[in-house]
Amino acid sequence: AQTVTQSQPEMSVQEAETVTLSCTYDTSESDYYLFWYKQPPSRQMILVIRQEAYKQQNATENRFSVNFQKAAKSFSLKISDSQLGDAAMYFCAYRRFTRGMRFGAGTRLTVKP
Amino acid sequence: DAGVTQSPTHLIKTRGQQVTLRCSPKSGHDTVSWYQQALGQGPQFIFQYYEEEERQRGNFPDRFSGHQFPNYSSELNVNALLLGDSALYLCASSQNIDRAGNQPQHFGDGTRLSIL
């Protein structure tokens, strides 16, 4: 079964600095999708960024980018120019085809002013 | 354009009771997935509905059942509630326009279920 591991329960970053959240996963498949979701205290899961496994180019969305290492099964999220509004729980997720997603345990990000 | 809506927001039940949670998908979405998120943990996949049928199921007992209606809305039913069923229940919708799965799932705000 596919597993997703987030080894950092908590991370902290100074406002305007850069932080990287780690994620590793285990799968024997070659085609799949990876996602980072953000969950603020309001509870709604918000999609931050997604990566198709067949694409070698790392995905980028404004201040958010990923470092996707397929052979190492690693999928880290980099947040540049951190803002107070970035404070939230961040979840890494794996999905194959249209099936349900498998999430990691999450990383709580604190942004210090 | 309304997103995914879930009702109720909060619910308190006692052990042994039954509960029904409801979800309306985002406009244009035809696939609904349900997740259970225990406090301090990541969401766990319960099941997914497409074309009014359960298409995939996670590792949850038969006490958890669901339904999808012709308008794509969905219900999650839990029978014989246990204390361990206390959690945030999230509904997510997506489009099944291809098998690739690159259509992201959009989540609702969830229903907080507390079992006494």
Side-chain angles (χ1 to χ4, degrees):
Chain A
Q2 298 84 8
T3 58
V4 179
T5 302
Q6 293 180 249
S7 59
Q8 306 156 315
E10 296 184 1
M11 289 287 284
S12 179
V13 63
Q14 205 72 32
E15 194 176 4
E17 297 293 309
T18 296
V19 64
T20 298
L21 309 184
S22 301
C23 173
T24 59
Y25 58 95
D26 183 26
T27 183
S28 59
E29 307 294 344
S30 59
D31 291 331
Y32 49 87
Y33 291 84
L34 297 167
F35 304 85
W36 278 98
Y37 277 87
K38 167 185 176 181
Q39 187 178 42
S42 64
R43 308 187 319 200
Q44 186 178 43
M45 298 282 279
I46 302 167
L47 178 66
V48 174
I49 197 166
R50 63 181 174 181
Q51 174 78 43
E52 293 90 339
Y54 64 85
K55 288 186 177 180
Q56 292 185 347
Q57 185 174 7
N58 289 323
T60 299
E61 289 286 345
N62 300 315
R63 299 183 294 108
F64 300 88
S65 62
V66 298
N67 183 5
F68 174 49
Q69 301 292 327
K70 190 172 184 179
K73 297 178 183 177
S74 172
F75 182 60
S76 61
L77 173 69
K78 186 172 79 172
I79 306 174
S80 303
D81 186 24
S82 296
Q83 301 175 359
L84 295 178
D86 295 334
M89 284 292 293
Y90 284 81
F91 293 96
C92 175
Y94 166 102
R95 185 185 191 190
R96 178 163 164 78
F97 299 129
T98 57
R99 299 174 185 171
M101 289 190 289
R102 188 170 293 273
F103 287 85
T107 296
R108 181 175 302 280
L109 178 66
T110 302
V111 181
K112 297 179 179 178
Chain B
D1 180 18
V4 180
T5 58
Q6 292 186 242
S7 62
T9 304
H10 296 90
L11 201 52
I12 299 175
K13 291 285 187 178
T14 58
R15 283 178 295 174
Q17 285 189 312
Q18 177 267 342
V19 68
T20 297
L21 310 182
R22 295 176 175 81
C23 171
S24 292
K26 179 180 171 66
S27 178
H29 287 186
D30 55 9
T31 304
V32 173
S33 300
W34 287 92
Y35 294 84
Q36 180 195 65
Q37 186 178 17
L39 193 63
Q41 298 182 21
Q44 300 292 317
F45 174 68
I46 303 175
F47 44 52
Q48 182 181 86
Y49 276 83
Y50 172 66
E51 291 188 338
E52 301 181 48
E53 292 190 357
E54 183 182 292
R55 179 161 68 176
Q56 189 194 8
R57 188 178 185 91
N59 189 27
F60 278 79
D62 292 344
R63 297 187 298 108
F64 290 77
S65 63
H67 189 76
Q68 185 179 35
F69 300 92
N71 66 352
Y72 308 119
S73 66
S74 177
E75 288 182 349
L76 164 65
N77 301 293
V78 187
N79 295 321
L81 287 166
L82 304 173
L83 292 178
D85 296 331
S86 294
L88 178 67
Y89 288 84
L90 295 167
C91 171
S93 71
S94 57
Q95 290 178 296
N96 190 68
I97 59 176
D98 58 55
R99 289 189 66 245
N102 64 347
Q103 296 301 312
Q105 294 189 345
H106 295 251
F107 286 80
D109 290 343
T111 294
R112 173 74 65 188
L113 176 62
S114 299
I115 311 301
L116 302 179

